[in-house]
Amino acid sequence: MHLRKLLPILFGALFFCSSYAQEKESITKKSYTTKFLNENDAPTIDGLIDEKSWDIVDWTGDYIENEPDENTPPSEQTKFKVVYDKNYLYFAFKCYDKDPKGIVKRLSRRDGFEGDWVEINIDSYNDKRTGFSFTISASGVKGDEFISDNGDNWDGSWNPIWYVKTNVDDEGWTAEVKIPFSQLKFGNNKEQVWGLQSTRRYFRAEERSVWQRVKRDAPGWVSEFGELRGLVDIQPQKQLEIQPFLVTQLETYKKEPGNPFRDGSDAKINGGLDAKIGITNDLTLDLTINPDFGQVDADPAAIALDGFQIFFQERRPFFVENKNIFNYQFADGQDNLFYSRRIGRSPQGYPNTSNGEYVDIPNNSTILGAAKFSGKTKNGWSIGILESLTDREFAKIDDNTNKREALVEPLTNYIVTRAQKDFNKRNSFIGGIFTATNRNLQGEELNYLRKSAYTAGFDFMHNWKNRKYYFSGNVVTSHVKGSKEAIANTQQELTHLFQRVDASHVEVDPNRTSLTGTGGKFELGKNSVGNWRYYGIFTWRSPELELNDVGFLRQADDLRQIGILSYQTLKPIGSFRRINARFEQFTSYDFDGNHNRTQYSISSNANFKSNWSIYYQFTHKPKIFTNTILQGGPRFRYSEEVINVLNFSTDSRKKLRFDSGIVASQGKDNSFSYTEFTTGITYQPINAFTVSLYPGYTINKSKTQYVTETSFGSTPRYIMANIDQRTLSASIRMDFNINPNLTIQYYGEPYISRGKYKDFNRVTNPIAKYYGDRIAVFNSNQIAFDASNDTYTIDEDVNGSVDYSIGNPDFAYVQFRSNLVVRWEYIPGSEIFLVWSQGTTGLGNPKDDLFRSLDSQILGRKPENIFLIKATYRFLF
């Protein structure tokens, strides 16, 4: 039977199964009362629970299974104790196991979460929304995360200082944990009441059991915690940490004859200081002087043929920590008022040069210093203030006789402020954000950049009926100022395209010196209880909205309506541990009233009792118009599209495991297609060593791929072509863990993308229903290839003279990047990194096949090497 016919049957069956869902039941909140220890009686953290100090409190246990069969007895029981002194909170765990030899003690880096483990979640704010997570694996590896959004977001970039040891005995395995109060945030009440939860992973059955029962249809995670009581007269401790660092770096590369900036090697040494000062126990001031914002992991290679910017994840520690407080994702996708990668960005200018001049431009803007004040108070205020100053950057220009400099990035100041307030028994919040970017532009230098940019936003969320239903929303506004040239450039950027020839609601005003826009989102839905969830969303981005000075916005001029209906099983069914299904529909318009997109998708994910998983998604786009593909030209129509996505993965617990997937997109009348094959193979021959290979291959074909804009006399011409793009990549990772604090990691990825164009054409009727009626293909009498200039010449009216020419758009982009990193945490919080990075980037011959490009551009070229040593020491006061 065809998959399209199976889908209604699947949803019908799911609806029928949902009638057997359990009635709403009340769950008793567990409570554990801890006791105070004299400092001299503190237990020794060695994994052996044999000190008398543990005898002053009772064990608590009676864990209940949470996954896969919620509210049933677990395969093995767990129990714990909690004591404290004036500086530390201590936990002792006893994880029973009838077969101690079967306990899986896999090693990994911090936050690896491999093998058997037990976890502590602490809501020390008792705000029902945020928490601190500490995970202890049976092998002694630590994991720590900051929990926000009631469990929807777990931030593994949080790295507190704490201590753990484990031990295996004839009853199972044990763990002792010591957490400094300075690493937690709490109020100054005489007696504290904290939220508490504990989860155990029983690896052999891939089973999760919890101390405090959480129903599978609960509205969240943190809101369902039990309680930790008995914390009396503990004093909020003002955290003070200072972490200096030293980095030495040597870079080697192929010498370029005549280029004074590429003589074969560069060496440098750098040092700086990071500090964390607890203004109160709730609020922390982070400072950095001459920070090292280098990244151990390189950004993945990518090519954007549509011209839009590519979103890359933030990895720099200063910006990553407490990023949830500064987050303001106001619509859908990645649009955000704060995108920290803008700070320290690559210089935006390029100097005017003459023949024979060589140029050296800094890779990034120098961050002179940055400060961040952030945290959450006992009264429910989340506060974040960030300020950063980046230096002026100059390009060095040298013709081997004369030297000069040219400004490529001005002195720039960034400010981000964020606040949220919980109320209504933590069921609701309101908040706001303000950002400011100010550039010190003088005279005519870099006058094409915006001088200043400001954004502001207001957001809220309200939950009711025990968080079963919710209503949330936000409104944002932006205001940018600059010279006439800068604001004219802004109006014509791909994000806005005011110059569109068929747009009646926008036009370029060359005299404007500012631009103000708005955006926002409203969402209403059911978030818990039973098998079904549903959401309704409305978003908008006005044509003038501009966020890209310190935020991220791909496209303005958009109104969107989204409807989502989802289903999840609450109990295992037949051969399945869990089944999820989702239906999504959306339509989009621009502010001129044009209906640009209608899209429907249906998807389902099934996890089998064998722990294999399969995912399928079917998407249909009956209407697709785009205002951007012609990059200032008229609105263009794409043919109706159908997309199928299929992925499956084997049991992730196995020593040898793999996953594979395919994405197949097809446009009507074969006007375009996209096919992506991905697979991954992981092998872990011993607990300490893992190797993974992830190859991928994509085929992108389109008969209407935009090439360029030119003119025929005074008439604009939008040139398109038939593209055949092939991309091949393969990442390999190897992890060797000598012990939980000493690890060796290798990452390497070759990336090759080749695009070949033919059947060049011009747009004639951009919104015609049939793709062939939208274009006119140039025949052999109209177009010719000029090999000497690598251009195509076009005689559109066939009168014997060239009317216009276009550059050959064929491309072959080749890149290889690799990193070998040795990380040693010689004492908690202090590390030494030894790094060897190697890479090469080149432009291959588009006529070659992909493997020949691999040989000539990667294997046949001298790579660039970076050798780096970084040492940090973390002082605690």
Side-chain angles (χ1 to χ4, degrees), residues 4-73:
R4 294 193 202 182
K5 295 181 180 179
L6 280 173
L7 292 172
I9 298 175
L10 172 62
F11 266 84
L14 292 175
F15 183 80
F16 177 77
C17 291
S18 71
S19 63
Y20 292 94
Q22 295 181 348
E23 295 292 327
K24 182 179 178 181
E25 56 182 302
S26 60
I27 296 177
T28 302
K29 289 281 187 180
K30 281 188 171 183
S31 180
Y32 182 85
T33 301
T34 183
K35 290 184 180 180
F36 179 77
L37 281 174
N38 292 319
E39 193 171 358
N40 295 331
D41 296 332
T44 301
I45 305 302
D46 55 10
L48 303 174
I49 311 171
D50 53 6
E51 296 90 351
K52 291 184 179 180
S53 54
W54 291 114
D55 296 338
I56 66 172
V57 291
D58 296 325
W59 290 101
T60 182
D62 296 325
Y63 280 50
I64 193 75
E65 188 171 324
N66 183 259
E67 291 184 13
D69 194 3
E70 198 272 319
N71 198 29
T72 60

Side-chain angles (χ1 to χ4, degrees), residues 656-718:
L656 179 64
R657 50 196 184 268
F658 65 94
D659 56 79
S660 186
I662 182 172
V663 178
S665 165
Q666 183 66 54
K668 189 176 181 181
D669 301 316
N670 200 31
S671 58
F672 63 86
S673 65
Y674 177 83
T675 307
E676 178 180 350
F677 302 95
T678 58
T679 190
I681 302 171
T682 300
Y683 181 51
Q684 191 169 14
I686 58 176
N687 284 336
F689 180 69
T690 305
V691 59
S692 302
L693 177 66
Y694 290 91
Y697 181 62
T698 64
I699 305 171
N700 175 39
K701 295 183 177 182
S702 175
K703 296 177 180 177
T704 54
Q705 173 63 48
Y706 177 75
V707 177
T708 189
E709 178 187 352
T710 183
S711 60
F712 178 52
S714 60
T715 305
R717 286 288 184 262
Y718 303 98

Side-chain angles (χ1 to χ4, degrees), residues 13 94 275 323 478 530 598 741 798 867:
K94 195 164 186 60
K323 66 181 180 181
S478 67
T598 296
N741 300 314
V798 198
F867 302 93

Side-chain angles (χ1 to χ4, degrees), residues 15-227:
F15 183 80
F16 177 77
C17 291
S18 71
S19 63
Y20 292 94
Q22 295 181 348
E23 295 292 327
K24 182 179 178 181
E25 56 182 302
S26 60
I27 296 177
T28 302
K29 289 281 187 180
K30 281 188 171 183
S31 180
Y32 182 85
T33 301
T34 183
K35 290 184 180 180
F36 179 77
L37 281 174
N38 292 319
E39 193 171 358
N40 295 331
D41 296 332
T44 301
I45 305 302
D46 55 10
L48 303 174
I49 311 171
D50 53 6
E51 296 90 351
K52 291 184 179 180
S53 54
W54 291 114
D55 296 338
I56 66 172
V57 291
D58 296 325
W59 290 101
T60 182
D62 296 325
Y63 280 50
I64 193 75
E65 188 171 324
N66 183 259
E67 291 184 13
D69 194 3
E70 198 272 319
N71 198 29
T72 60
S75 298
E76 298 284 0
Q77 263 300 337
T78 311
K79 61 183 183 181
F80 66 85
K81 290 183 174 184
V82 188
V83 295
Y84 72 101
D85 59 27
K86 67 176 185 177
N87 294 315
Y88 298 97
L89 187 67
Y90 302 88
F91 286 83
F93 283 94
K94 195 164 186 60
C95 304
Y96 291 96
D97 199 307
K98 300 181 183 68
D99 180 19
K101 293 183 179 179
I103 295 170
V104 179
K105 299 175 63 178
R106 291 185 182 173
L107 284 165
S108 69
R109 276 195 63 174
R110 189 168 182 157
D111 298 332
F113 308 109
E114 296 286 346
D116 283 281
W117 50 254
V118 67
E119 182 180 271
I120 309 160
N121 295 164
I122 299 172
D123 176 13
S124 54
Y125 292 123
N126 204 22
D127 64 3
K128 316 297 184 186
R129 292 179 56 221
T130 60
F132 303 95
S133 177
F134 303 86
T135 304
I136 309 99
S137 78
S139 61
V141 176
K142 295 188 291 188
D144 29 54
E145 298 166 289
F146 180 75
I147 312 169
S148 58
D149 298 333
N150 199 9
D152 286 343
N153 182 41
W154 296 64
D155 184 359
S157 63
W158 180 60
N159 289 316
I161 293 177
W162 56 294
Y163 309 87
V164 62
K165 288 292 182 179
T166 60
N167 180 64
V168 176
D169 57 29
D170 56 2
E171 291 185 311
W173 64 281
T174 57
E176 287 184 305
V177 180
K178 174 181 174 181
I179 303 173
F181 282 129
S182 63
Q183 305 299 296
L184 302 173
K185 307 297 179 184
F186 52 90
N188 56 4
N189 293 340
K190 180 176 178 58
E191 181 176 0
Q192 303 280 330
V193 179
W194 292 358
L196 180 66
Q197 177 64 291
S198 177
T199 304
R200 178 182 175 185
R201 181 193 192 187
Y202 182 64
F203 185 83
R204 275 161 285 171
E206 191 57 300
E207 176 186 288
R208 305 289 194 277
S209 57
V210 294
W211 175 67
Q212 170 65 61
R213 183 190 169 194
V214 178
K215 294 177 61 179
R216 289 285 295 274
D217 62 345
W221 181 251
V222 182
S223 60
E224 311 306 300
F225 284 4
E227 293 180 343

